Amino acid sequence: MSNFFNYYASTILYLLNLVAWYILSRKTDRKSVNGIVLNYFLVFFMIFLCWNILMMVTSRSNIVYILFWSLVSIYELFFVLITLFRLARAKKDYSDIFVIIVAILAIPIILAAILTWTNRSYSPINTTDFYNLILLTLGSILILRSLLLQESFLDNIESFFIFSGFTLYFGLHILASNALSIDFMKNFNFGKYANLISLIFWLGSVFLVWKIRSKHS
Amino acid sequence: MENQVQTFVIFSSAFLIFFILFTVYLIVKLKLHDLKLKKSEADLRELNQSLQNIVQERTKELHQSETQFRTLYEQHREVLDNSPAGIIKINANLAIEYANPEMNTILVNASQRYDLLQGRFIRDIALFGNSDLQDFFQELKTGFELSKEIEIAGKNKKMITVIVKGVPIIENDIFLGAVIVVNDVSEIKEIQTRLTASLQEKELLLKEINHRVKNNMQIIGSMLKLQQRYIDDPDIKRLTRNSLDRVKTMSLVHEKLYYAADLSKINFGDYVKSIAIYLFGSYGIRPSKVKLDINIENIFMEISTAIPCGLIINELISNALKHAFPDDREGIIRVELLPTEKDKYLLTVSDNGIGFPEKINLENAETLGLMLTKTLVEQLHGNMRLVRNEWTTFIIEYKNVTLSTFSEVKNKNGTEILF
């Protein structure tokens, strides 16, 4: 049952989300912050779609999992950071700093992946994931705050829903990967549904965004 | 147990999804509403600012207009307050809306102060209650400007003459009121009366002078006539008669002036006719023998032109009567005077007698009559030419001269004026 939800159902939801958000993103200005966020978000779905398909094809291969976990973790950091940088609208070009930050944050992820592979234990991944997710959650909250303070809030509604979903997604994953706190995963298997909950949220968001857009356009 | 937990987890997840989704949606809606409010507020602020600008602009314009109006009002008020004429504005009900201070002077006898006139009906004011003005104000309503001269009791109960002039205010054929201007013309009236009396006196004196000049000339003529009786020499007798004719011609002018309505001008046609009749009588020529044809339009001439012109005609007719029709020859003497252009005349004296002697021409004429004629033509700034054919025609073109141009001629040529 849980496998079904984790792979098949989530694959379908990823596909639906990809199509729905792609349709939604067609009317958006690609060069705006909102357009960039939508583009990266679609790439995020595509990565996950590949991951899920490969997991199903390779019968949950460890190496596939570790590789994609690393890729997704780095991509999520990149995504949140680039959005924060864009929203900061700094006049100076901070691309060097951005690359350095992403590179520094990627080091523990790569190390955790290597350790997990060599030690045959998911503990390094879970631990790194936990701290990463805290950073990503905080980053998402900062993005939401920044979006709310923007004068052009109406132009960035899609981004707002996307990062609301990400806050939920990262928050739920903290619970799923948290070995230090309430151990929610072990007792209730709640963490397993983090992806599904977020995907349903994003799918629902499509309808709400469409509704708001049709009212305010 | 595990199934129950899973079902609980599924429902909890669904609830969580919708709750969070709904919350996000609410946040978005609230934010949009907030933005809308902010935009409306900004719009309102902008509108308020533009309204404030408009109000400020209008206030400024109003202030300027008010200042202009006040200046204009002050000027008009000053004009009205210092006007030498009494001015009243009445409304459609003939009640006074405004009266200027001069009305006080005019109404002083009635003890009615001008500033207490407002609101009173015009018929209640003593001045306008005058019987002569009873219909005046009613007629004003018809829309015509009216003016009336009346006598009222002024200061010290002395009668003064005032001219009451009414100008109706009509808009869209509706009588809205009128402006009444009252002018005290007593002094002007007095001066006018004195001037009229003085003029009448002068006219009388001038008539008297003309009469006396005429009488004196007649006396001169009578003396010349008396003297003629004692002259045996026919040449001297002729000369004396010529002088007598000339004196008679001049006295005729004064006679005409004495009887004329206008003391400065005479009817020249009548004057020429009188001269001709006199000369025909003087030379004993019967009108049946020599016919006289006078063609002079209704021309009135000043004395300064009429006398020299009359003397010229006298000389030329006398000349024709003396020489043109010998041996009871019949013929016509024609006198024509036509105006050519402004102040210019063309005088033609012609006869169909025996003709002017070939040996005599105008330039070297030595006879007194022709010399006199030439001099008189010069005095009139004119020129004379002689045309000889079946008719002997003297054509004289001259300008109407005034007394001032006469003295100019005298000074320039040193010519003695003969009268």
Side-chain angles (χ1 to χ4, degrees), chain A residues 85-100:
Chain A
F85 269 73
R86 287 277 177 180
L87 286 171
R89 285 189 292 189
K91 286 180 184 173
K92 201 177 169 184
D93 185 13
Y94 285 103
S95 55
D96 294 343
I97 299 167
F98 173 73
V99 171
I100 292 164

Side-chain angles (χ1 to χ4, degrees), chain B residues 100-162:
Chain B
N100 76 336
E102 181 59 20
M103 281 310 295
N104 195 31
T105 317
I106 294 167
L107 299 176
V108 72
N109 189 52
S111 305
Q112 284 163 327
R113 285 189 51 193
Y114 76 96
D115 51 350
L116 300 175
L117 290 172
Q118 271 88 343
R120 296 188 64 181
F121 284 102
I122 204 144
R123 61 172 178 269
D124 298 337
I125 313 298
L127 163 65
F128 302 111
N130 188 301
S131 57
D132 291 341
L133 288 173
Q134 274 177 2
D135 299 327
F136 184 86
F137 297 105
Q138 294 303 323
E139 281 176 37
L140 264 181
K141 288 183 175 179
T142 57
F144 292 103
E145 282 188 27
L146 296 171
S147 183
K148 195 138 193 161
E149 189 180 299
I150 55 161
E151 280 202 344
I152 58 163
K155 278 178 187 173
N156 306 322
K157 294 190 177 177
K158 188 186 164 190
M159 291 304 281
I160 57 164
T161 309
V162 291

Side-chain angles (χ1 to χ4, degrees), chain A residues 44 95 141 179 199:
Chain A
F44 171 80
S95 55
I141 290 165
L199 285 168

Side-chain angles (χ1 to χ4, degrees), chain A residues 73-92:
Chain A
S73 296
I74 294 167
Y75 184 77
E76 282 168 354
L77 278 169
F78 163 80
F79 189 9
V80 170
L81 278 170
I82 202 163
T83 311
L84 275 170
F85 269 73
R86 287 277 177 180
L87 286 171
R89 285 189 292 189
K91 286 180 184 173
K92 201 177 169 184

Side-chain angles (χ1 to χ4, degrees), chain B residues 1 41 242:
Chain B
M1 184 67 187
E41 197 182 323
N242 287 348

Side-chain angles (χ1 to χ4, degrees), chain A residues 73 76-77 79-81 84 105 128-146 162-178 198:
Chain A
S73 296
E76 282 168 354
L77 278 169
F79 189 9
V80 170
L81 278 170
L84 275 170
L105 289 172
T128 312
D129 213 16
F130 176 72
Y131 294 110
N132 258 349
L133 287 166
I134 288 171
L135 281 176
L136 290 167
T137 311
L138 287 172
S140 300
I141 290 165
L142 273 174
I143 288 166
L144 287 176
R145 182 181 170 276
S146 178
I162 287 166
F163 280 95
S164 297
F166 269 124
T167 313
L168 180 68
Y169 172 81
F170 296 138
L172 289 173
H173 271 278
I174 287 170
L175 293 176
S177 60
N178 184 12
S198 305

Side-chain angles (χ1 to χ4, degrees), chain B residues 30-249:
Chain B
L30 277 169
K31 178 66 187 173
L32 287 173
H33 186 68
D34 183 47
L35 282 174
K36 202 175 170 184
L37 275 176
K38 275 184 180 168
K39 194 176 177 298
S40 303
E41 197 182 323
D43 287 348
L44 272 173
R45 204 170 286 131
E46 200 179 323
L47 203 68
N48 184 39
Q49 190 59 45
S50 61
L51 269 171
Q52 271 183 359
N53 290 341
I54 291 166
V55 167
Q56 274 179 354
E57 208 175 302
R58 292 281 182 278
T59 311
K60 201 177 166 186
E61 280 174 16
L62 197 70
H63 186 67
Q64 279 176 349
S65 304
E66 197 185 327
T67 312
Q68 281 174 353
F69 173 76
R70 196 169 288 279
T71 313
L72 206 66
Y73 174 79
E74 291 299 330
Q75 283 171 353
H76 286 181
R77 190 73 199 219
E78 215 170 305
V79 169
L80 287 170
D81 286 356
N82 297 302
S83 169
I87 298 168
I88 281 182
K89 178 166 182 306
I90 56 169
N91 62 18
N93 299 321
L94 304 182
I96 296 168
E97 285 185 344
Y98 169 79
N100 76 336
E102 181 59 20
M103 281 310 295
N104 195 31
T105 317
I106 294 167
L107 299 176
V108 72
N109 189 52
S111 305
Q112 284 163 327
R113 285 189 51 193
Y114 76 96
D115 51 350
L116 300 175
L117 290 172
Q118 271 88 343
R120 296 188 64 181
F121 284 102
I122 204 144
R123 61 172 178 269
D124 298 337
I125 313 298
L127 163 65
F128 302 111
N130 188 301
S131 57
D132 291 341
L133 288 173
Q134 274 177 2
D135 299 327
F136 184 86
F137 297 105
Q138 294 303 323
E139 281 176 37
L140 264 181
K141 288 183 175 179
T142 57
F144 292 103
E145 282 188 27
L146 296 171
S147 183
K148 195 138 193 161
E149 189 180 299
I150 55 161
E151 280 202 344
I152 58 163
K155 278 178 187 173
N156 306 322
K157 294 190 177 177
K158 188 186 164 190
M159 291 304 281
I160 57 164
T161 309
V162 291
I163 291 177
V164 182
K165 189 171 183 183
V167 182
I169 302 164
I170 306 283
E171 208 173 282
N172 299 327
D173 293 334
I174 298 166
F175 177 74
L176 300 177
V179 175
I180 314 291
V181 181
V182 184
N183 266 313
D184 183 355
V185 291
S186 301
E187 280 182 33
I188 297 167
K189 200 81 184 164
E190 207 175 315
I191 292 165
Q192 196 180 11
T193 313
R194 282 212 302 268
L195 278 173
T196 311
S198 172
L199 187 68
Q200 279 174 349
E201 194 182 347
K202 297 283 184 301
E203 277 181 0
L204 207 65
L205 278 170
L206 200 58
K207 275 196 169 191
E208 188 56 30
I209 287 166
N210 279 322
H211 187 61
R212 290 199 178 180
V213 169
K214 185 201 79 177
N215 284 349
N216 288 342
M217 283 186 167
Q218 276 179 350
I219 290 166
I220 294 165
S222 301
M223 285 193 296
L224 282 170
K225 250 185 190 171
L226 274 170
Q227 212 163 10
Q228 256 186 334
R229 289 182 193 169
Y230 302 99
I231 296 168
D232 295 327
D233 188 344
D235 285 340
I236 299 169
K237 210 168 186 171
R238 185 172 47 81
L239 287 172
T240 318
R241 197 171 67 178
N242 287 348
S243 298
L244 183 66
D245 291 346
R246 285 165 197 144
V247 169
K248 181 65 185 175
T249 303

